Amino acid sequence: MCGIVGYIGRQEAAPIILQGLRQLEYRGYDSAGLAVLDRTGALQVRREAGKLVNLERAVTEAPVFGVVGVGHTRWATHGPPSQRNAHPHSSPDGDLVVVQNGIVENFWELRQELEGIGYCFQSDTDTEVIVHLIDHYYHNGDAGHLERAVQRAMQRLKGPSAIVALSSRHPDRLIAVRLGNAGGVAVGFGEGEMFVASDIPAILHHTRQMAFLDNRQMAIVTAQGAVFTDLEGRPVHKACVRIDWNPTAAEKGEFRHFMQKEIFEQGRSLTDTLRGRLDFQRHSVILDSLNLDAAQAQRLSRITIVACGTSYYAGLVGKYYIERLARIPVEVDYASEFRYRAPLVAPDQMVLAITQSGETVDTLAALEEARAHGAFTAAIVNAIGSQAARVTDGHIAMQAGPEIGVASTKAFTASITDLLLLALYLGEQRGALPESQRRHIIRTLSTLPGLAGELLEEALRSERYRELAERYHTYHNFLYLGRNIHYPIAREGALKLKEISYIHAEGYPAGEMKHGPIALIDANMPTVVIAPRDHVYDKMLSQIEQIKARSGPVLAVAHADDDAIRAKVDAVLPIPATDALLTPILAVMPLQIFAYEMAVRRGADVDQPRNLAKSVTVE
C-alpha cells in the first residue's frame, strides 16, 4: 500500500524523489520521508508525520543534496502514523536505510531476537526489523557484501514485502527486493541514471523503459543499469518493457481533483479500452493476450471471478454478461475470502481476477490458489507489468491509463467493458452467440464512448449535481436500489458515497427492499434508484411508489427523456438510452459525479479519503 521511490544518477535526488512521491501519495498518506546520500558520504534523513506537504516543507527548511536517495509515503500497518514510525528506517550507525511496502508477519519474533543481541528499536514498525537484520548480517559474516546481507535478511521474513535499501558504505547502488505479493517494484532505465518505484506514474516523467520484479527477486541498481538475481543469488533475466502511457495523464490539468478528472475522461478511456478489439467485418472480438483458444473455451465448465471492492461489483455485472452471452455458469467471490473456504476449482474452469493495480494481495493470493488447482487463470488489469498480468495464463488490459484517485471510476467502467468483450469472445468461441447478435452488440459498443462523452459533457456544463449536493449533503444515510444487471451498480454507487463523503450508504436489490430496508424509509432517508426503461422498469416504478408513500426522497438514474419517472421522483440523474447491455456502464457515471460533488460540498479530501489506499498490498 505504501509508496516507494528511489533514484541514482547525476541529478539532485531529492526533487525527483519528492515528485515521485507526489504521484504515489494515493498509496498512503499517513507520513512520508526520504534519505539522500550527501556529498560527504553521509545519509541525510528527513521524516514527517501527515501528508507529503509536511515532508516537502521540512526539505525546504533543511535541504538535502546528493545524487542517490530513496523516499517513502506510508499507509500505517504496525504503529500509528507519526514521525518516529515514518520511513526510511536506519541502522544503529546510520549507515544503512530501508523503505518498505508490505508487512512482516513474523516481525515480533524477529524483533525479540534482535533485541536479544543488543539492537534498540526506535519505532513501532515492522520495517525496522528489516534494517536491523540487514545490518546484523552485514557485520556478521557478510562484511563488505551488502547484496548477500539483504538476501539473508529477506529470507528470514514471512509475509509480503517490497523494499529498497541504501548504504553509505556502498554509495554506487540501490538494492530493491520483492517478496510475495506486497505490490509492484518497477525499475526504470535512463541515460546514466536509474529509478525504482512502487508504481509506474512515479517515474514515468523520467523514463518509459522499465522492468518489473517478481516474487523473490532482487535488483542491484547502479547509475549505469541493473543486475537481477533471485534471493539465492542466481542471475535472472528481466525483459525491459516500454510504457506508452502519456505522463500528462497523471496530472490533474484543469480539474480540481484527480477523481474529477478521471470521471470526465471516461469517454477517452472507453475508447482506449475498445481500440483494436472490435472486428467489424467478422463481427468478432479480438483478445489476443487472453491466450484462450476455441478448444479451451469450449471445455470451460465454470468461471469464478475474484475481486475486491469496486472490482467485485464489476464482476457482478460480468456475471450477467457471461452467463447471458456465453452460457457459462459464473460465480463471483471476494478475493479476500476465496482461499479460506477450500474453493471447488478444477482444470476445466477459469478463475478470472479483476484488479486495477494488479498488485492487490488478496487477489494475487486467490490466483495462487487457482493455479494450485490447475485452473486456467486470467486477469482484467490496468497496470502494465503488474504481478497479476505476469502470473496469469492470460490477461485483458483495461487500457484506461493511470488512475490516481483512490476511489476507482474509469477503471470500473473499463472493467465492465472488458467483461462484455470477454462475454462476446467466449460466446463466439463456444458457438453460443449467433453472428447476428454479435453484430448488433459490437456495433452498439462502438457508440459507447460517444454516449459517455455526451453524458459527461452535459454533466460538466450543468449545475445539477452541485445543486443536489447542496440539498442532500447533510443527510446521514442513503439507500441505493437496482434490479437485475443494475443491482451491482446500486452497490457501486453506495460504495462511492461511503468512500469519499463518509455518508453511510447501502446498495440493495430493489426487490429485497420490502424484506427489511423499507423499515428505514422516511423523510430523512433518501433513496437512489437505477431505473432505465428495461424489462424491469415497471417493477422499479413500483419501488418508487412504495418509497414515496413513506415520504422518502427519491433520486433516479433514468433516461433523459423519461417524463413519467420525472413526475414521480425528486430529481433525475439523466443517462442516454442505449442497449440494455451498455446501460450499466453509463448508469454508474451520474452516481460517481453525485458522490464527488457530495464529498466536495462536505469538505472531504476527495483524492485521499481517510483510512483508504489505492492498492491494498497487505491483508
Side-chain angles (χ1 to χ4, degrees):
M1 227 110 82
C2 307
I4 293 173
V5 180
Y7 173 78
I8 183 167
R10 298 165 298 194
Q11 302 184 63
E12 288 293 333
I16 293 171
I17 291 168
L18 289 170
Q19 180 194 47
L21 292 179
R22 177 61 66 191
Q23 298 294 333
L24 293 180
E25 199 174 13
Y26 62 90
R27 295 178 68 100
Y29 30 86
D30 294 331
S31 59
L34 58 75
V36 172
L37 194 63
D38 70 15
R39 304 295 197 272
T40 70
L43 282 167
Q44 298 293 330
V45 178
R46 304 287 184 270
R47 304 188 301 174
E48 293 294 332
K51 293 194 175 182
L52 183 61
V53 64
N54 296 338
L55 175 64
E56 292 171 329
R57 186 182 303 114
V59 172
T60 300
E61 294 171 354
V64 289
F65 300 102
V67 296
V68 56
V70 294
H72 186 273
T73 180
R74 181 174 185 246
W75 186 83
T77 55
H78 293 75
S82 65
Q83 186 179 47
R84 72 190 298 267
N85 288 329
H87 299 214
H89 291 283
S90 304
S91 60
D93 58 13
D95 287 342
L96 173 70
V97 294
V98 167
V99 292
Q100 180 211 14
N101 173 29
I103 189 165
V104 181
E105 294 176 356
N106 59 332
F107 94 100
W108 187 244
E109 298 95 314
L110 292 172
R111 176 167 176 154
Q112 290 178 313
E113 175 186 323
L114 288 162
E115 288 175 332
I117 58 176
Y119 281 91
C120 295
F121 282 73
Q122 306 301 316
S123 77
D124 308 306
T125 71
D126 54 339
T127 305
E128 197 176 356
V129 163
I130 302 173
V131 71
H132 291 333
L133 270 178
I134 297 172
D135 180 77
H136 169 68
Y137 288 125
Y138 185 85
H139 293 291
N140 293 273
D142 292 310
H145 203 308
L146 181 62
E147 291 89 340
R148 180 58 188 156
V150 171
Q151 289 168 349
R152 289 181 66 188
M154 295 303 288
Q155 288 168 351
R156 296 288 311 279
L157 306 186
K158 294 180 181 179
S161 286
I163 72 148
V164 178
L166 169 61
S167 171
S168 61
R169 298 174 186 268
H170 301 269
D172 63 337
R173 68 197 62 187
L174 298 170
I175 297 181
V177 180
R178 177 171 186 162
L179 185 66
N181 299 321
V185 178
V187 178
F189 292 77
E191 295 292 333
E193 59 183 359
M194 294 287 289
F195 308 84
V196 179
S198 300
D199 208 350
I200 292 169
I203 55 178
L204 194 57
H205 284 273
H206 305 286
T207 179
R208 292 173 181 263
Q209 301 296 328
M210 301 184 197
F212 301 90
L213 294 187
D214 290 317
N215 179 29
R216 299 185 66 81
Q217 291 183 348
M218 181 170 79
I220 300 97
V221 182
T222 68
Q224 286 69 47
V227 174
F228 300 96
T229 72
D230 62 20
L231 286 186
E232 283 68 46
R234 295 183 292 259
V236 173
H237 172 72
K238 301 300 294 184
C240 199
V241 178
R242 177 176 172 80
I243 307 301
D244 289 324
W245 286 355
N246 183 343
T248 60
E251 301 294 342
K252 280 184 281 195
E254 63 183 296
F255 295 98
R256 184 174 176 183
H257 299 95
F258 281 114
M259 182 182 177
Q260 185 187 31
K261 171 182 179 287
E262 288 151 8
I263 289 171
F264 285 99
E265 68 183 13
Q266 284 176 106
R268 193 273 308 157
S269 64
L270 290 172
T271 299
D272 291 345
T273 295
L274 294 171
R275 182 176 286 125
R277 289 173 169 166
L278 301 179
D279 185 335
F280 294 97
Q281 291 184 322
R282 295 179 55 248
H283 311 120
S284 297
V285 168
I286 303 166
L287 296 176
D288 292 337
S289 62
L290 184 61
N291 300 324
L292 185 78
D293 60 26
Q296 291 171 300
Q298 289 165 11
R299 284 197 298 270
L300 290 176
S301 66
R302 187 173 69 175
I303 294 175
T304 300
I305 297 174
V306 292
C308 300
T310 286
S311 294
Y312 175 83
Y313 300 142
L316 292 177
V317 178
K319 173 181 171 69
Y320 286 95
Y321 287 156
I322 295 168
E323 290 187 342
R324 176 172 172 180
L325 301 180
R327 308 307 296 165
I328 305 175
V330 177
E331 178 182 357
V332 186
D333 208 341
Y334 283 108
S336 56
E337 294 293 329
F338 179 75
R339 63 182 168 138
Y340 293 116
R341 59 173 182 80
L344 299 175
V345 180
D348 63 346
Q349 298 173 12
M350 175 194 289
V351 175
L352 172 66
I354 306 174
T355 165
Q356 190 278 144
S357 69
E359 303 291 351
T360 301
V361 65
D362 291 319
T363 305
L364 293 174
L367 288 171
E368 288 181 3
E369 183 77 15
R371 288 197 301 275
H373 288 82
F376 181 91
T377 59
I380 294 176
V381 61
N382 194 35
I384 301 167
S386 65
Q387 184 83 339
R390 298 197 304 274
V391 303
T392 47
D393 297 307
H395 71 277
I396 303 171
M398 295 180 197
Q399 303 179 165
E403 187 176 69
I404 305 303
V406 167
S408 181
T409 52
K410 65 177 181 175
F412 178 72
T413 52
S415 299
I416 296 177
T417 305
D418 285 329
L419 285 160
L420 181 52
L421 292 173
L422 175 62
L424 288 166
Y425 179 84
L426 292 173
E428 178 183 3
Q429 297 300 314
R430 291 168 61 86
L433 191 62
E435 182 179 354
S436 59
Q437 194 173 355
R438 296 201 315 269
R439 180 192 304 116
H440 167 74
I441 298 171
I442 287 171
R443 287 180 177 175
T444 307
L445 255 176
S446 68
T447 70
L448 177 61
L451 292 171
E454 292 172 11
L455 185 162
L456 294 165
E457 184 178 348
E458 191 278 334
L460 193 59
R461 292 195 309 264
S462 170
E463 292 293 318
R464 175 186 302 106
Y465 292 94
R466 282 182 286 277
E467 291 171 355
L468 288 174
E470 187 64 37
R471 190 189 316 173
Y472 290 104
H473 75 276
T474 58
Y475 286 79
H476 299 293
N477 299 282
F478 275 73
L479 182 65
Y480 283 65
L481 298 178
R483 287 191 93 115
N484 195 255
I485 201 169
H486 294 113
Y487 156 58
I489 302 304
R491 294 190 66 180
E492 170 62 11
L495 177 63
K496 282 293 153 288
L497 193 68
K498 281 186 281 196
E499 283 182 312
I500 61 171
S501 74
Y502 316 140
I503 295 172
H504 174 253
E506 295 297 331
Y508 245 82
E512 291 296 300
M513 182 185 72
K514 58 185 173 292
H515 296 289
I518 198 169
L520 300 172
I521 300 295
D522 61 18
N524 297 311
M525 177 79 160
T527 301
V528 180
V529 299
I530 297 98
R533 287 188 298 260
D534 57 14
H535 68 290
V536 292
Y537 175 72
D538 290 339
K539 296 184 183 300
M540 290 305 300
L541 291 182
S542 174
Q543 304 297 319
I544 292 170
E545 296 285 3
Q546 293 175 50
I547 297 165
K548 296 304 294 181
R550 290 157 178 83
S551 302
V554 178
L555 293 77
V557 175
H559 290 145
D561 62 352
D562 189 343
D563 294 331
I565 205 167
R566 195 178 298 274
K568 295 178 180 293
V569 301
D570 296 272
V572 169
L573 312 182
I575 59 172
T578 186
D579 187 276
L581 291 173
L582 274 60
T583 302
I585 303 169
L586 299 174
V588 76
M589 295 178 187
L591 302 181
Q592 295 169 346
I593 302 168
F594 177 66
Y596 170 79
E597 293 294 348
M598 289 282 280
V600 170
R601 179 61 184 83
R602 288 167 62 88
D605 191 338
V606 174
D607 284 334
Q608 298 172 358
R610 67 191 182 203
N611 304 330
L612 296 179
K614 186 66 173 175
S615 177
V616 182
T617 55
V618 297
E619 286 197 78

